[in-house]
Amino acid sequence: MSRARWVVGNWKMNGSFAANASLLAEVVGLPRDGANVGVCVPFVYLAQARQILADSRVALGAQDVSAQTAPGAFTGEISASMLADAGVAQVIVGHSERRQYHGETDALVAAKAAAALAAGLVPIVCVGETLAERDAGQAFEVVGRQVGAVVAALGESVSQVLLAYEPVWAIGTGRTASPEQAQEVHASIRAALGAAGATVPILYGGSVKAANASSIFSMPDVDGGLIGGASLVAADFAAIVAAL
Ligand code: PGA
């Protein structure tokens, strides 16, 4: 079975109502045959993005979700059912910035993925090693552990997620993994997914730009990209979608 191909923008903590309106006006028309497009926007802009993207094929996404599934006293948290209520289709979980700055563990990331799935959302599960881990020869081990936690928590439902391999040393640094480096880790992730590996899209993320997108996307186990900085510039994001 062929795998879906995706380019998903991760705006991170960027945007304003005015800037979003002009960016989304360009993003609306980007999906094309063979290239699915999503944008993961800050919570406060979900309603705006939902309205602008309403009649488009662009998937609306959020950047994080609570692992708590029942409503209650969790100040500041946003549940998966709230996101579904807000028209969200997909949500990033386990981004390295969440793991690094908010102490998110493999177990919490897996719980967030489960909460997302239970509410009918597609979790975009991010994994990736730090530079120190790569230099110590531990890239495959670290990524294997991160993927393994999600597989253990979700069981067969892991077939419903999107995976994103984002080497921490390549995020926002201008330093991209080579197509070969991406491919070998993607292949190991696909193997770790077991039977689901045949259908789960695995996106690459980390300094993807118009100039390097084609060579990365041409690798057999790379099914698209999770795009940070370049997703904030309409022309750059469009060129990356075109590369897919
Ligand atoms: P970048 O970010 O494209 O700015 O490197 C990617 C990401 O963190 O999702």
Side-chain angles (χ1 to χ4, degrees):
M1 204 193 298
S2 67
R3 297 184 300 269
R5 292 172 72 76
W6 282 91
V7 169
V8 178
N10 172 14
W11 288 6
K12 309 193 179 184
M13 197 174 75
N14 293 287
S16 66
F17 284 109
N20 305 343
S22 50
L23 177 54
L24 289 170
E26 309 273 338
V27 168
V28 154
L30 290 182
R32 55 186 72 197
D33 288 345
N36 298 290
V37 175
V39 281
C40 296
V41 309
F43 292 128
V44 293
Y45 299 130
L46 285 169
Q48 179 197 19
R50 180 189 197 179
Q51 197 172 24
I52 297 173
L53 301 174
D55 295 319
S56 79
R57 284 171 47 210
V58 178
L60 179 62
Q63 299 173 12
D64 186 31
V65 65
S66 177
Q68 300 293 337
T69 49
F74 302 105
T75 303
E77 290 284 88
I78 306 282
S79 70
S81 57
M82 289 175 186
L83 293 179
D85 200 20
V88 167
Q90 51 188 203
V91 58
I92 296 170
V93 298
H95 190 281
S96 63
E97 288 149 16
R98 302 290 318 173
R99 295 179 190 260
Q100 192 178 346
Y101 306 138
H102 302 274
E104 294 197 4
T105 60
D106 291 344
L108 180 64
V109 172
K112 288 184 172 197
L117 279 180
L121 307 179
V122 173
I124 303 173
V125 181
C126 298
V127 298
E129 81 285 1
T130 63
L131 184 58
E133 288 163 343
R134 175 158 283 263
D135 288 345
Q138 296 167 348
F140 291 95
E141 181 188 328
V142 168
V143 170
R145 188 198 72 220
Q146 293 170 337
V147 174
V150 174
V151 171
L154 300 187
E156 284 184 6
S157 310
V158 78
S159 63
Q160 295 164 48
V161 314
L162 295 184
L163 238 291
Y165 170 56
E166 299 203 309
V168 179
W169 46 272
I171 294 176
T173 59
R175 198 176 149 188
T176 322
S178 70
E180 293 73 23
Q181 282 174 322
Q183 167 57 28
E184 61 182 6
V185 178
H186 281 229
S188 77
I189 293 171
R190 204 171 292 295
L193 288 170
T199 52
V200 168
I202 305 176
L203 317 184
Y204 170 81
S207 298
V208 176
K209 303 182 268 293
N212 59 26
S214 294
S215 58
I216 295 171
F217 294 165
S218 69
M219 302 312 283
D221 286 302
V222 177
D223 304 309
L226 183 56
I227 318 301
S231 73
L232 299 170
V233 181
D236 293 351
F237 193 55
I240 293 168
V241 174
L244 189 69

